[in-house]
Amino acid sequence: MTNKMKTITIKNLEGFSGVILIPVFETYSKSLVPIEFHGVSVPSKVFYGKKDTHYLIEKYDCLHIFIGLGTVINYKDLKTIFRRISAKQKESFASEVALVVPEQFSLEQVEAVISGLYLGTYDVGHFKKTEKHPFLNDNFELSLLSKIDFAKTVAKAIKIADAQLEILNLVDLPPNVVTPKYLSNWAIESGKKYGFEVEILGFEASKKAGLGAFLSVGKGSENEPQFVIMNYIPENDNPKTKHIGLVGKGITFDTGGLNIKTSGMLHMKSDMAGGAAVFGAMQLIADLKLPVKVTAIVPCAENSVDAKAFYPSDVIQSYSGHSIEIIDTDAEGRLILADGLSYLIKNFKPEFIVDIATLTGSSVGTFGYECGALFTNNEAISKKLQESGDAIGERLWQLPLWDCYKSDIESDIADVKNYSGKPVAGAISAAKFLEYFTEEHKAWAHLDIAGVAFGDDEFAKSKHATAYGVHLLVKFIENL
């Protein structure tokens, strides 16, 4: 765990020398009035605050970086702009950096900027010799030039980015490092540091508990599966405290099993991104000391291939007591989630449940890389999840759970089958499968984040983690 970025508030720039970050709302290209700050004047022909532009000028022993925000800006774009400045101007940052906080900034905008600057310290080159970002040095302090003390907002912004950085690490590290055991150890350490209880069921304990669907998936790997159970109880717990259940898919690598993948296997280290989002959310919930009870389960396993691997056409027993016919061993995420959901509902009885998983290519086929697929029969939960996502740029869009899709998971030989065998409605039939194991829970939602948890952006040459879901889950819990 890295050093956190530190900040202080200053009232003026007297005696300051270093880098000054100056966010600027857009004027227009033919404006006769230049943008002025700290005795530096920038004509509109050169820079007028257009979104995604910036302008550097050195004067008075200071490097001034004017940062264009456009006329209006949302949370996600603001965060990305400042992450870009932090990451791409890394060499410019001396020991002193000041951020000018515009008077019209809301608390959410301050949060987005600080989070973005801290996220810019992330380097995907885990096995390369690279210099630490200046923001992470022991003696570094980011100065906030502001009349208002934003200490509370800044502290929250740093906690959000800190949880997201942890999850970028988990998802981007290779599968020979991030095994199920690595994740269970991470959970134990995080629980000790932030204040939540962790229980781990290894192979024998899972067998004793009857987690048959979960164990079937992990059978073909030499790495022992780990069923991770986390409990956060707030300081002022009482009978009225809301109780939320989270379940995340923790497949540390997915070969497809005996139905081996014919494409896209390279990126399957990201198949635990739903589980990672739950881990990050638990860290952040405990770090923010939210006044809610949270029970989270992340079944962690590797879907591998050897003589012990489960077969297509096997019939396996689940924790719920329902039998499952295996049509496709590559539809494994829903099997571990089924046991996770059943275990959570039977033993902990939370009022609200959200499961999150990189579950189907079908969700990517529907939405591309713009939003996650949302499934729920509870309209209030649907609205809250979508509003929470819209506020921070982690979007969700609802797909149906109509009963006409039930036939996709009906089996002749078992209670239910794990795959429809059809090339259509894959995300929906997967959600119907999960719904089967929710005991008709009245406030359950399933998030399929296959298209948004891992992908391309400007911060690395290859596909990498986004930490999607960490902030979304926490924002949803805050809004309940």
Side-chain angles (χ1 to χ4, degrees):
M1 300 198 180
T2 53
N3 294 347
K4 289 190 185 182
M5 187 174 78
K6 295 181 279 293
T7 65
I8 54 166
T9 302
I10 57 172
K11 298 293 180 198
N12 58 59
L13 289 167
E14 267 177 47
F16 182 88
S17 64
V19 179
I20 306 172
L21 305 174
I22 309 145
V24 176
F25 283 100
E26 188 174 338
T27 55
Y28 57 101
S29 56
K30 294 186 174 66
S31 173
L32 298 173
V33 182
I35 286 163
E36 289 188 313
F37 182 81
H38 195 228
V40 177
S41 182
V42 184
S44 62
K45 281 182 184 174
V46 179
F47 173 84
Y48 60 95
K50 189 181 175 186
K51 191 175 156 192
D52 294 333
T53 65
H54 64 274
Y55 182 71
L56 278 70
I57 186 164
E58 193 163 12
K59 201 169 182 182
Y60 311 125
D61 291 332
C62 290
L63 177 65
H64 301 77
I65 305 181
F66 291 87
I67 301 159
L69 306 180
T71 48
V72 290
I73 189 154
N74 63 42
Y75 187 99
K76 187 183 182 184
D77 288 348
L78 196 53
K79 197 166 177 173
T80 302
I81 284 168
F82 280 85
R83 182 178 176 185
R84 181 187 304 137
I85 291 293
S86 175
K88 308 269 168 90
Q89 298 296 329
K90 183 178 165 182
E91 279 72 34
S92 307
F93 297 124
S95 56
E96 288 203 81
V97 180
L99 167 69
V100 180
V101 181
E103 281 181 17
Q104 66 266 53
F105 260 20
S106 66
L107 295 179
E108 284 77 18
Q109 287 174 314
V110 173
E111 181 184 284
V113 167
I114 300 296
S115 273
L117 287 172
Y118 188 18
L119 280 176
T121 65
Y122 182 67
D123 186 351
V124 79
H126 291 286
F127 298 90
K128 293 167 86 170
K129 284 181 182 171
T130 51
E131 274 188 41
K132 194 159 68 166
H133 195 289
F135 288 177
L136 301 178
N137 289 332
D138 289 338
N139 59 350
F140 177 81
E141 278 185 327
L142 174 70
S143 301
L144 268 62
L145 181 63
S146 169
K147 290 174 184 168
I148 304 161
D149 186 0
F150 287 109
K152 209 172 166 184
T153 303
V154 168
K156 184 176 181 181
I158 286 171
K159 286 173 180 180
I160 292 165
D162 195 47
Q164 290 174 320
L165 286 165
E166 282 289 325
I167 274 39
L168 293 176
N169 280 318
L170 283 183
V171 180
D172 281 336
L173 281 166
N176 57 328
V177 173
V178 179
T179 59
K181 190 74 180 157
Y182 184 98
L183 289 181
S184 64
N185 286 340
W186 185 94
I188 290 164
E189 289 308 309
S190 186
K192 281 179 194 165
K193 183 173 179 183
Y194 294 97
F196 55 89
E197 293 167 14
V198 181
E199 184 189 357
I200 311 293
L201 305 183
F203 181 85
E204 287 303 327
S206 296
K207 197 173 174 182
K208 197 175 172 186
L211 295 161
F214 166 63
L215 288 179
S216 293
V217 175
K219 278 200 313 185
S221 170
E222 66 171 2
N223 289 308
E224 184 188 8
Q226 305 276 287
F227 196 81
V228 182
I229 305 156
M230 297 167 282
N231 262 305
Y232 165 75
I233 297 164
E235 283 166 9
N236 299 318
D237 184 30
N238 63 66
K240 287 184 179 176
T241 304
K242 288 190 174 85
H243 186 190
I244 296 100
L246 302 174
V247 183
K249 173 184 170 184
I251 296 290
T252 55
F253 195 80
D254 182 18
T255 64
L258 290 173
N259 291 103
I260 200 156
K261 288 183 187 292
T262 52
S263 66
M265 206 196 294
L266 174 65
H267 301 125
M268 283 303 107
K269 67 178 182 180
S270 70
D271 213 20
M272 38 64 78
V278 169
F279 284 137
M282 282 305 282
Q283 173 181 318
L284 187 51
I285 288 158
D287 204 5
L288 293 173
K289 295 184 166 48
L290 295 188
V292 290
K293 249 170 91 167
V294 184
T295 304
I297 292 179
V298 182
C300 303
E302 218 173 53
N303 189 21
S304 199
V305 185
D306 83 347
K308 293 178 188 169
F310 70 136
Y311 295 169
S313 79
D314 274 358
V315 174
I316 63 173
Q317 294 298 321
S318 66
Y319 180 81
S320 65
H322 298 302
S323 56
I324 304 168
E325 180 188 6
I326 304 302
I327 303 297
D328 192 325
T329 61
D330 196 19
E332 87 298 333
R334 66 200 69 180
L335 297 173
I336 69 169
L337 289 173
D339 272 1
L341 285 164
S342 298
Y343 194 93
L344 177 73
I345 291 162
K346 184 180 176 184
N347 297 292
F348 298 100
K349 301 176 176 57
E351 287 169 76
F352 308 92
I353 300 173
V354 181
D355 77 70
I356 180 166
T358 52
L359 208 63
T360 66
S362 167
S363 69
V364 188
T366 306
F367 294 124
Y369 305 101
E370 300 306 321
C371 75
L374 163 65
F375 298 87
T376 179
N377 280 325
N378 184 310
E379 281 311 306
I381 297 279
S382 176
K383 198 172 174 217
K384 279 221 159 66
L385 276 163
Q386 285 183 294
E387 283 172 357
S388 302
D390 287 345
I392 57 168
E394 295 188 10
R395 284 174 163 170
L396 291 163
W397 194 256
Q398 192 170 359
L399 292 176
L401 275 171
W402 299 325
D403 275 351
C404 56
Y405 291 106
K406 245 186 194 168
S407 59
D408 282 352
I409 57 164
E410 286 172 356
S411 165
D412 286 333
I413 195 170
D415 292 324
V416 68
K417 64 185 181 184
N418 79 326
Y419 179 58
S420 69
K422 300 174 188 173
V424 295
I428 298 173
S429 59
K432 288 304 284 181
F433 179 86
L434 293 177
E435 184 188 40
Y436 187 84
F437 294 89
T438 61
E439 307 291 329
E440 296 180 350
H441 195 284
K442 297 288 181 270
W444 160 73
H446 160 59
L447 314 182
D448 188 337
I449 63 164
V452 284
F454 194 81
D456 295 303
D457 64 25
E458 64 194 274
F459 297 107
K461 294 186 184 79
S462 55
K463 285 183 187 295
H464 58 285
T466 63
Y468 179 103
V470 175
H471 196 184
L472 171 64
L473 290 171
V474 175
K475 190 89 176 162
F476 165 70
I477 288 168
E478 284 179 320
N479 290 339
L480 271 176

